[in-house]
Amino acid sequence: MQLQELNESQAARVALESLESDVKQASNLVEKYRNSDRFYLLMKCRYIVKEVEQVIRDIGRSLAASPLANTELDIVDKLNHGTKEQKLDQAFANNMLEEIAGAVGVPVEPSEIIKEIANIRWEKEEAANSKERAEVIFLEQIISLLSQADTTSDFEEVKKQYFQRVQVIERYGSREKYILPLNSFYCSITEVVMVDPVSLCTGTTCERSTIEVWFDDGNMTDPKMKEVLEDTTLRSNIRLRESIV
């Protein structure tokens, strides 16, 4: 908030002062019980929990009152809505990139944006190492979306991909009229090549309409892994869909 110089406005200044007071209160609470006897802490646990809950509520109110917090939440809501509704057009990508860059103070320049997207890729790899599959899928969608923006265009990379595709077409075009789809192109339920692939929190991919019927029939398990799903959110697998096309 201070980096964005929001403390220049009255509302932001009040929010900063309130947040500073709440953080100080939280620190005092920690110091209050830091060296207390464990038996005493057990006897006082209900009271301590109430104190902690109150501090958390106070911090939440202060954050909600800050202009930056509201801006960030609005951007996150737009991103989630865009990926859910499959808004893949370049105009939407450009708009989202500008809003995100403006909120965090990053110049909308190719070198800076490409660097930031590279950082997101690194975060995705870390999530993959931690086996946080839902996080990996979400980050893949964000990367795919933002990579469509004009600022992220890399002419040399586009040219390289173009010539690679030409080589594949030339290699198969003279020998075969039909190239077999990859195994990943098939729906886990119908085993038919997908048109609108979506990913579950477990990483399993299915045709959107098919998995929706699966859930409507009362099935709350992964159709491939057979494990109960803690989250039934469907995330468009943009990269896979582009590969199929």
Side-chain angles (χ1 to χ4, degrees):
M1 292 168 67
Q2 289 174 336
L3 287 174
Q4 293 294 316
E5 298 182 348
L6 293 178
N7 54 329
E8 294 300 321
S9 69
Q10 178 63 26
R13 187 160 51 250
V14 171
L16 279 170
E17 291 173 354
S18 177
L19 183 58
E20 184 178 7
S21 174
D22 294 336
V23 172
K24 184 176 180 179
Q25 184 181 352
S27 297
N28 290 339
L29 187 60
V30 172
E31 290 299 322
K32 179 180 178 181
Y33 296 108
R34 181 188 297 278
N35 298 316
S36 297
D37 181 78
R38 283 176 288 184
F39 275 34
Y40 172 78
L41 291 176
L42 176 61
M43 299 301 109
K44 294 277 292 183
C45 65
R46 289 186 181 276
Y47 179 74
I48 295 171
V49 168
K50 288 182 179 180
E51 285 186 296
V52 172
E53 288 176 343
Q54 184 59 51
V55 170
I56 292 173
R57 282 195 292 269
D58 291 342
I59 292 176
R61 280 194 292 267
S62 297
L63 288 173
S66 73
L68 181 57
N70 292 331
T71 299
E72 290 177 333
L73 289 174
D74 183 52
I75 291 173
V76 171
D77 287 341
K78 286 182 181 179
L79 272 174
N80 287 331
H81 179 72
T83 54
K84 184 177 180 180
E85 298 298 321
Q86 303 175 48
K87 291 187 176 181
L88 308 177
D89 57 284
Q90 195 171 38
F92 180 74
N94 287 337
N95 180 58
M96 289 308 310
L97 188 59
E98 289 181 6
E99 289 195 32
I100 293 171
V104 298
V106 173
V108 186
E109 299 176 359
S111 59
E112 293 295 326
I113 298 302
I114 290 174
K115 186 190 304 180
E116 293 299 326
I117 291 181
N119 290 336
I120 298 177
R121 293 184 192 280
W122 182 85
E123 294 288 353
K124 188 197 76 171
E125 294 302 321
E126 287 294 299
N129 292 335
S130 301
K131 298 183 180 180
E132 298 174 5
R133 287 177 288 190
E135 181 74 3
V136 171
I137 293 170
F138 175 70
L139 292 176
E140 281 182 346
Q141 291 178 325
I142 298 303
I143 292 168
S144 180
L145 171 65
L146 297 183
S147 295
Q148 296 181 68
D150 294 328
T151 314
T152 61
S153 298
D154 186 331
F155 176 73
E156 290 303 321
E157 182 61 25
V158 171
K159 184 171 68 173
K160 177 182 176 181
Q161 293 177 0
Y162 170 76
F163 282 113
Q164 286 177 342
R165 187 171 181 82
V166 169
Q167 290 173 0
V168 171
I169 293 173
E170 290 176 345
R171 184 163 62 249
Y172 284 98
S174 60
R175 295 182 299 173
E176 299 181 38
K177 293 183 179 180
Y178 179 71
I179 303 174
L180 291 174
L182 299 176
N183 290 334
S184 59
F185 291 2
Y186 293 98
C187 173
S188 297
I189 299 176
T190 63
E191 297 185 352
V192 174
V193 175
M194 294 177 285
V195 176
D196 184 8
V198 293
S199 297
L200 304 177
C201 64
T202 54
T204 298
T205 54
C206 305
E207 177 66 38
R208 180 184 293 276
S209 59
T210 304
I211 191 63
E212 287 176 345
V213 171
W214 175 269
F215 288 151
D216 289 341
D217 288 342
N219 298 304
M220 292 297 139
T221 57
D222 183 308
K224 183 178 180 181
M225 310 297 291
K226 307 303 180 184
E227 59 184 75
V228 177
L229 296 170
E230 297 180 358
D231 179 8
T232 57
T233 302
L234 301 178
R235 298 188 182 281
S236 297
N237 196 319
I238 300 169
R239 182 161 301 186
L240 179 58
R241 186 173 66 183
E242 291 177 344
S243 299
I244 294 173
V245 174

